[in-house]
Amino acid sequence: DTPTSVFETAYFQFNWLTDQMALGVLPNDADQYNSLQESLVEAFEQFSKEPIFHFAVMTDNEEDRGTTVYLMDCAVQAGHRVELLDIREIGIDAQGRYTDLQDRVIDRCFKLYPWEFMLREPFARELARSGDVFIEPAWKAVLSNKGLLPLLWQRHPNHPNLLPSYFADDPAASSLSDYVRKPLLSREGENVTIFRDGQEFVSAPGDYGEEGFMVQAYAPLFESDGGFAVLGSWVVGDRACGLAVREDRSRITANLSRFVPHVIIG
């Protein structure tokens, strides 16, 4: 819903790879699990080229704007006409359709703006009849809500790809001694707290938590001299196509955690 490391994954770490090969630091057959940009262009090709493809973001946020402009470039490579728009500049016409600053109807819009924020905006009343205007679609709000994790654990208890997870007020949560408490809507590690033996071990500040919390069994991150690393996998459409590595001295990955390029050497 807010893919703010897609630029680093698809573009910058690939440039790092080619630079290192050109310098002789890496062998010429070095590789990377990274077809993200090609996959994005192919995905944009699936949309009609007829309407202008709008891209909306809080333009005064440099990181979000840079990410959105990169995605616009992918859309241009796919043959689209594009227009950048500040999310606050979206209007509504007499028919309840979303419009841009030139009063053009917005038929297709990628927005780098969380759905839970969108639903609180004055124009949210028109979302129910907006159809498939927005990318990502509204159902992505389910995936960005950590309340999904306890529900998955209820449905698939002891599944090898899941960690025990409960809503914070569930009596079953007391069965965990080493766990992580997370706000349902937190991003970038904000307001996350790690507990060891039932005692607070490390926490991160932030502005989330009013929406409630869930708890999840603690799973230690990979640790090396560089700190603690977490892997992020990218899926475009229905295809896995990229790997991102974030690293930090803290056990909680946050907004300013380093992005570390990776390499595959046979």
Side-chain angles (χ1 to χ4, degrees):
D1 200 25
T2 53
T4 48
S5 62
V6 67
F7 201 0
E8 294 92 324
T9 305
Y11 185 79
F12 288 108
Q13 73 166 345
F14 181 75
N15 282 359
W16 170 86
L17 175 67
T18 56
D19 286 348
Q20 297 303 304
M21 291 184 347
L23 291 169
V25 177
L26 292 174
N28 289 331
D29 61 351
D31 202 358
Q32 205 170 68
Y33 182 50
N34 189 8
S35 59
L36 182 51
Q37 179 161 312
E38 301 95 305
S39 299
L40 287 167
V41 173
E42 289 177 12
F44 279 122
E45 288 174 345
Q46 305 306 308
F47 294 103
S48 169
K49 310 299 192 304
E50 183 62 30
I52 294 174
F53 208 132
H54 287 81
F55 286 76
V57 65
M58 300 284 280
T59 52
D60 52 3
N61 183 306
E62 185 175 355
E63 180 186 13
D64 288 1
R65 181 188 176 99
T67 299
T68 304
V69 169
Y70 167 71
L71 291 169
M72 285 176 61
D73 182 71
C74 291
V76 168
Q77 292 181 52
H80 290 281
R81 295 175 298 141
V82 298
E83 182 81 20
L84 182 65
L85 187 67
D86 192 288
I87 194 80
R88 294 163 289 196
E89 296 171 344
I90 294 177
I92 301 174
D93 69 10
Q95 287 75 46
R97 299 172 299 182
Y98 292 112
T99 59
D100 64 14
L101 291 176
Q102 286 75 50
D103 292 327
R104 296 174 299 194
V105 173
I106 297 174
D107 294 300
R108 183 77 62 194
C109 181
F110 170 84
K111 50 88 190 168
L112 202 159
Y113 196 64
W115 268 106
E116 65 266 22
F117 292 0
M118 291 269 287
L119 294 171
R120 299 182 183 126
E121 296 289 351
F123 60 64
R125 64 184 182 275
E126 307 297 339
L127 286 171
R129 55 178 177 172
S130 65
D132 58 354
V133 167
F134 289 103
I135 302 169
E136 298 285 342
W139 63 263
K140 287 295 184 76
V142 176
L143 300 186
S144 62
N145 189 317
K146 294 179 181 64
L148 179 63
L149 299 173
L151 297 178
L152 284 172
W153 185 251
Q154 288 176 18
R155 179 167 291 202
H156 306 286
N158 303 311
H159 191 283
N161 292 339
L162 296 174
L163 290 168
S165 301
Y166 308 95
F167 290 104
D169 58 359
D170 186 336
S174 62
S175 64
L176 302 176
S177 59
D178 292 353
Y179 61 94
V180 183
R181 186 181 67 192
K182 305 176 182 181
L184 298 181
L185 298 175
S186 173
R187 284 177 164 78
E188 303 288 6
E190 288 194 22
N191 300 102
V192 169
T193 304
I194 298 175
F195 291 81
R196 304 295 299 274
D197 295 323
Q199 302 297 313
E200 183 174 322
F201 183 61
V202 62
S203 64
D207 299 318
Y208 294 90
E210 292 185 5
E211 66 277 11
F213 291 84
M214 53 79 62
V215 296
Q216 185 177 48
Y218 175 62
L221 297 178
F222 171 81
E223 184 178 0
S224 70
D225 292 340
F228 300 92
V230 62
L231 305 183
S233 60
W234 286 91
V235 177
V236 176
D238 59 359
R239 183 173 68 192
C241 56
L243 173 66
V245 182
R246 300 287 300 282
E247 192 174 70
D248 203 299
R249 292 294 179 186
S250 170
R251 296 172 187 268
I252 299 175
T253 308
N255 183 44
L256 297 180
S257 299
R258 295 181 298 277
F259 185 96
V260 183
H262 73 278
V263 63
I264 301 170
I265 299 176

